[in-house]
Amino acid sequence: MTGFGGTASPGMVDWNLAVATATRLVRPGPDVSRDEARAVVAELRRHAKASEEHVRGFTRLGTEETHDTPVLVVDRPGWVRANVAGFREILKPLLEKMQERRAGSPGSAVLGAVGGKVTGVELGMLLSFLSSRVLGQYETFAPATRELPAGANGGGRLLLVAPNIVHVERELDVEPHDFRLWVCLHEETHRTQFTAVPWLRDHLEGEIQSFLAETDVDPMTFLERIREAAQSLAGGRPEGEEEDGGRSFVELVQTPAQREILGRLTAVMSLLEGHADYVMDGVGPSVVPTVSEIREKFQQRRAKGASRLDQALRKLLGLDAKLRQYREGERFVRAVVDEVGIAGFNRVWTSPNTLPTKGEIAKPADWVARVHRRAES
């Protein structure tokens, strides 16, 4: 497929094969008729549009002109293609570095072709697993293409995964129209964060690239991390290795410098996720009649997870950390707003220097003291 593949030499990862594998293995979505599917897509587009005004009004961020990034209602393969494009872009410097490191080794050409295909298959397995779990995402790193349009100012695109939204609303037995709007409010908050704060995307990309630049990992070790995750997905991890399987990718490749960068990234992601949850809860009661029921059932689903295999894979991929980010980030936002109001909280978006540290996420009063007392002195 053009736009996502490589040349005749797949390098460290055969991206085409990753897409093909994930698309082949992706679980079928919920059973809906063609007319029902069209209606869901149309409704999600309406809710995404309505959410813009709700979120802008509540957060006091952005203007109508800043919301120039497209909303794409996608199926599971569409989500896979968008994320492969994003991964390929953000991992390019690291993979080129690893390719150069391997180039001088005996048999590197043959190993490269085989290794790239193996990694492509295993990455595809992971993406097929994740593609049935994501409700929505603001994808910011993939370059603009015909299939993945982006905002005029180089922004990303908002992805809403229609079959997953329908699946969860049925699983939770909640009012479908309310649930769809509720999801759109959360995802629209992420879109607002990135479109109203123009430096945020470049800052995050810079931090990620700094993290990857510090990586000094043997190519085979990197490939082994993907293999471990794929084996967890296939149920191939031997009994007794669950604790080792609880390590995430980033925990296995960190240098001291990376730990420092990861601390900053964790703080930013906690802020973004917590802010989205806070906004969703703040806007929800006025526009989503059954918001209390939805919130309660969704929180129970988050906390419970699925099977033992699902939990093991979540740990390996660091998804458990993401769940903690929702909770800790929302507590930070709520505490700061209670202390200094929404306008005072919005100082967080002034520059990278006003973002909270990992310690301040846990102790919001420290952020208030640093940013507000300094500004007042």
Side-chain angles (χ1 to χ4, degrees):
M1 175 171 296
T2 57
F4 300 99
T7 60
S9 174
M12 295 292 296
V13 181
D14 187 333
W15 299 107
N16 274 347
L17 192 54
V19 170
T21 301
T23 302
R24 186 175 70 251
L25 296 178
V26 72
R27 298 177 183 179
D31 186 20
V32 296
S33 69
R34 188 171 299 233
D35 287 344
E36 286 175 309
R38 286 199 191 101
V40 169
V41 170
E43 184 174 18
L44 287 173
R45 291 189 187 284
R46 289 196 303 272
H47 284 331
K49 183 64 179 174
S51 295
E52 290 181 23
E53 188 174 344
H54 295 316
V55 171
R56 276 203 312 272
F58 185 83
T59 63
R60 303 182 201 171
L61 289 175
T63 64
E64 192 167 348
E65 288 71 33
T66 62
H67 283 63
D68 70 335
T69 57
V71 176
L72 307 179
V73 181
V74 298
D75 57 10
R76 290 167 180 173
W79 179 87
V80 167
R81 289 192 293 270
N83 277 269
V84 165
F87 288 154
R88 188 179 183 202
E89 185 70 15
I90 202 73
L91 290 174
K92 188 187 299 180
L94 172 64
L95 295 179
E96 287 176 351
K97 173 182 170 182
M98 293 168 66
Q99 184 81 4
E100 289 170 6
R101 182 170 173 174
R102 190 178 63 183
S105 61
S108 60
V110 174
L111 287 173
V114 173
K117 290 186 180 302
V118 170
T119 309
V121 168
E122 292 173 340
L123 179 60
M125 291 172 66
L126 291 177
L127 289 170
S128 72
F129 172 86
L130 294 172
S131 69
S132 63
R133 284 156 172 75
V134 177
L135 301 182
Q137 174 188 359
Y138 187 76
E139 202 297 308
T140 184
F141 296 121
T145 64
R146 185 173 56 82
E147 289 181 305
L148 280 176
N153 297 319
R157 70 285 298 162
L158 179 61
L159 307 175
L160 296 170
V161 191
N164 296 350
I165 294 171
V166 172
H167 171 78
V168 173
E169 71 192 26
R170 291 179 179 180
E171 178 187 315
L172 298 181
D173 190 25
V174 292
E175 210 291 316
H177 307 296
D178 284 3
F179 183 74
R180 294 166 195 174
L181 176 55
W182 188 74
V183 170
C184 286
L185 288 171
H186 181 100
E187 303 306 334
E188 176 58 37
T189 303
H190 288 315
R191 183 170 173 236
T192 297
Q193 290 163 348
F194 281 91
T195 54
V197 185
W199 54 263
L200 183 58
R201 178 193 179 279
D202 288 343
H203 173 70
L204 266 181
E205 183 174 13
E207 291 280 58
I208 292 169
Q209 291 302 341
S210 295
F211 180 89
L212 295 176
E214 287 288 333
T215 299
D216 186 23
V217 61
D218 178 77
M220 295 312 296
T221 304
F222 179 80
L223 301 183
E224 185 61 28
R225 297 289 77 80
I226 295 179
R227 192 160 297 118
E228 283 185 10
Q231 286 172 351
S232 282
L233 179 57
R237 180 169 300 283
E239 288 294 323
E241 290 193 13
E242 291 83 359
E243 290 304 314
D244 184 63
R247 298 179 299 170
S248 70
F249 285 123
V250 290
E251 290 171 329
L252 290 164
V253 299
Q254 282 179 61
T255 64
Q258 283 180 310
R259 282 193 289 274
E260 186 177 327
I261 298 166
L262 187 63
R264 296 196 298 267
L265 278 170
T266 299
V268 175
M269 297 312 297
S270 297
L271 171 69
L272 299 181
E273 296 293 359
H275 184 233
D277 265 12
Y278 176 79
V279 172
M280 189 166 58
D281 285 349
V283 175
S286 62
V287 297
V288 182
T290 60
V291 65
S292 297
E293 177 192 359
I294 291 172
R295 182 68 157 144
E296 182 180 356
K297 289 183 174 181
F298 195 76
Q299 288 287 60
Q300 289 172 355
R301 182 180 185 271
R302 262 186 189 169
K304 193 166 50 176
S307 65
R308 182 180 174 199
L309 173 61
D310 185 50
Q311 291 168 356
L313 190 60
R314 274 170 38 184
K315 285 184 180 180
L316 183 64
L317 297 175
L319 299 183
D320 277 357
K322 185 174 175 67
L323 296 180
R324 288 195 299 274
Q325 287 168 7
Y326 285 110
R327 294 191 296 269
E328 294 170 359
E330 185 181 11
R331 280 197 296 267
F332 171 83
V333 175
R334 193 173 299 281
V336 171
V337 173
D338 287 347
E339 179 73 19
V340 296
I342 194 72
F345 166 79
N346 279 344
R347 286 194 189 176
V348 79
W349 312 116
T350 305
S351 76
N353 293 329
T354 55
L355 291 172
T357 65
K358 192 175 179 182
E360 288 169 343
I361 288 287
K363 294 183 177 180
D366 289 356
W367 180 86
V368 172
R370 176 172 68 87
V371 173
H372 282 265
R373 311 264 157 79
R374 185 178 63 190
E376 292 163 4
S377 59

